Amino acid sequence: MEEMKFTRSARPAEQQQADPGGRYAPVKKRGGREVMEWLFHLVFLLCGVVAVAFVLFISLYLIVSGLPAIREIGLKDFLLGTTWAPTATTVEPSYGILPFILTSVYGTAGAVLIGVPVGLMTAIFLAKAAPPALTKLIRTAVELLAGIPSVVYGLVGMIVLVPSIQKLFGLSSGACLLAAVIVLAIMILPSIINVSETALRAVPKEYEEASLALGATETETWFRVSLPAAGSGVATAVVLGVGRAIGEAMAIIMVAGNVANMPGLFRSVRFLTTAIASEMSYAAVGSLQRNALFSIGLVLFLFIMLINVLLNVFIKGKKEG
C-alpha cells in the first residue's frame, strides 16, 4: 500500500491537474465521437434536403413550362379533346390528349391485372414453398429480368410478340394495345416479386406457427395469415409496378404502334410517355406543340402523384382499420 501511494503521489502536479483521475483521454475520445456524429447527421440532413429539392424543382419546372399551353388551348379542350394533330396545315391544329390518357390508364391497368397475380404467386412460392436450389435459380432469373434494358424488351416484343399477335388474331398489324400490355406486365414482374418476397419473409414465424397450431393448412396460412401481415409491403410492390408501367416509353413505342387513336385492344395506340418521346425531338422551341408536350408531362406527373397518394391513403386507412 505504501508503495502504491508513493507511485500515485510521484506523478507531476501539472499532470494531476490536467488529467485528474486519469479521465482526460476518454473525455477527449467522447468529444471526437460527438463531432463525428454531428457531421454524419449533417450529411444525412443535406442528402434529404437535396432529394426534396430535386422533387420540388421538377414540379415547379413542369408547372411553369406546362401551364402556358393549357391556358392557350383551354383545359377542357386539352384534357377531353379526342384529336391530336399539332402539325396539321389543312385544318386547325388540335391538341386533345384524351386518347393518350385513356390508353395509359387501360395499358397500366391491364399490366397490373396480369403482372400482380403472377408476381405475387411467384413471391409466395419463393418465400414459402420453393426448395433452396429452385429459389436460387428463380431469384437469379428475376434479377436478370430487372437488369434487362427497356429497349431490349421492346426489341424482343417487336420481333416476336407483334408478329405472333398479328398471325393469331388475323390483324393487319400486331403493334397494338395488347402487345403493350403484355410487355408492361413482364417488365413490372421483377419489382413486384422482389418487394413482395421481402415482405413475406419479414412476417414473424410465430404468426404462421399459431395458424398451423389451430388446424389451418400451409396454403391457408400463406393466404390468410402471411399475405395479410405483409400487406403493406405487397402494396408497395404494386405502387412500384404501377410507376414502372405508366412511366415506360422506349419499349412501348416499339410495340404499341404509336398512333394517336382512341384505345382499343387490337388498335395501334399512343401513351402519354410515347407522345412526349416521339415528338419532342422535332418540336420547335417555343412553339405551342413543344409547350403542349410539357403540359403532357405535367399531366403524367400529376397522374402518378395521384395514384401514389390514393394507394398510400388506402394502405394507411386499412392499417388504422
Side-chain angles (χ1 to χ4, degrees):
M1 291 294 293
E2 291 180 358
E3 184 178 355
M4 293 177 61
K5 290 180 179 179
F6 174 77
T7 303
R8 291 184 178 180
S9 62
R11 300 174 61 191
E14 295 83 4
Q15 184 178 356
Q16 293 180 5
Q17 292 177 359
D19 186 13
R23 295 187 300 272
Y24 181 72
V27 171
K28 185 176 181 180
K29 185 179 291 187
R30 285 199 301 269
R33 289 180 178 176
E34 290 177 358
V35 172
M36 290 298 296
E37 286 288 330
W38 181 82
L39 289 176
F40 277 113
H41 281 293
L42 181 61
V43 171
F44 295 151
L45 177 61
L46 291 177
C47 291
V49 170
V50 168
V52 174
F54 282 158
V55 174
L56 292 177
F57 176 77
I58 294 172
S59 303
L60 292 175
Y61 183 79
L62 288 175
I63 292 173
V64 172
S65 302
L67 284 181
I70 295 178
R71 286 199 299 264
E72 184 173 351
I73 299 169
L75 182 62
K76 181 179 179 180
D77 294 335
F78 183 70
L79 294 179
L80 302 180
T82 59
T83 304
W84 174 264
T87 58
T89 55
T90 57
V91 295
E92 185 178 356
S94 302
Y95 299 90
I97 66 169
L98 183 62
F100 306 156
I101 296 175
L102 294 179
T103 299
S104 296
V105 173
Y106 292 167
T108 303
V112 169
L113 288 176
I114 297 174
V116 170
V118 174
L120 186 57
M121 294 299 177
T122 304
I124 294 174
F125 177 71
L126 292 176
K128 303 299 180 183
L134 187 58
T135 300
K136 185 178 180 180
L137 177 63
I138 297 177
R139 188 178 293 118
T140 301
V142 172
E143 292 174 355
L144 289 176
L145 279 177
I148 296 176
S150 59
V151 67
V152 176
Y153 283 104
L155 182 63
V156 174
M158 184 175 63
I159 296 175
V160 178
L161 182 62
V162 170
S164 301
I165 293 177
Q166 181 180 2
K167 293 179 181 179
L168 182 62
F169 296 99
L171 305 174
S172 59
S173 174
C176 57
L177 180 60
L178 177 61
V181 167
I182 295 174
V183 171
L184 286 176
I186 296 173
M187 293 181 68
I188 67 176
L189 282 178
S191 300
I192 295 175
I193 293 173
N194 289 330
V195 178
S196 298
E197 182 189 358
T198 302
L200 288 168
R201 290 187 181 276
V203 176
K205 294 294 183 182
E206 291 80 3
Y207 291 6
E208 299 178 356
E209 292 172 355
S211 176
L212 294 173
L214 292 174
T217 63
E218 288 187 345
T219 304
E220 290 175 339
T221 300
W222 296 339
F223 284 96
R224 295 187 178 183
V225 177
S226 301
L227 189 58
S232 179
V234 173
T236 302
V238 174
V239 171
L240 292 175
V242 170
R244 176 73 188 274
I246 200 172
E248 181 55 45
M250 185 54 64
I252 301 307
I253 202 173
M254 301 173 72
V255 300
N258 198 28
V259 180
N261 293 325
M262 291 296 288
L265 191 61
F266 300 110
R267 300 181 67 182
S268 296
V269 291
R270 180 181 292 181
F271 287 65
L272 288 169
T273 52
T274 57
I276 300 172
S278 60
E279 297 189 15
M280 185 62 75
S281 60
Y282 63 82
V285 177
S287 64
L288 182 58
Q289 180 186 4
R290 190 178 183 88
N291 292 335
L293 295 177
F294 281 110
S295 300
I296 294 176
L298 177 60
V299 172
L300 179 62
F301 179 76
L302 294 177
F303 189 52
I304 294 175
M305 292 290 292
L306 179 63
I307 292 176
N308 288 334
V309 170
L310 290 177
L311 289 175
N312 288 328
V313 169
F314 173 76
I315 295 170
K316 184 178 179 181
K318 189 175 181 180
K319 283 184 177 180
E320 292 178 352

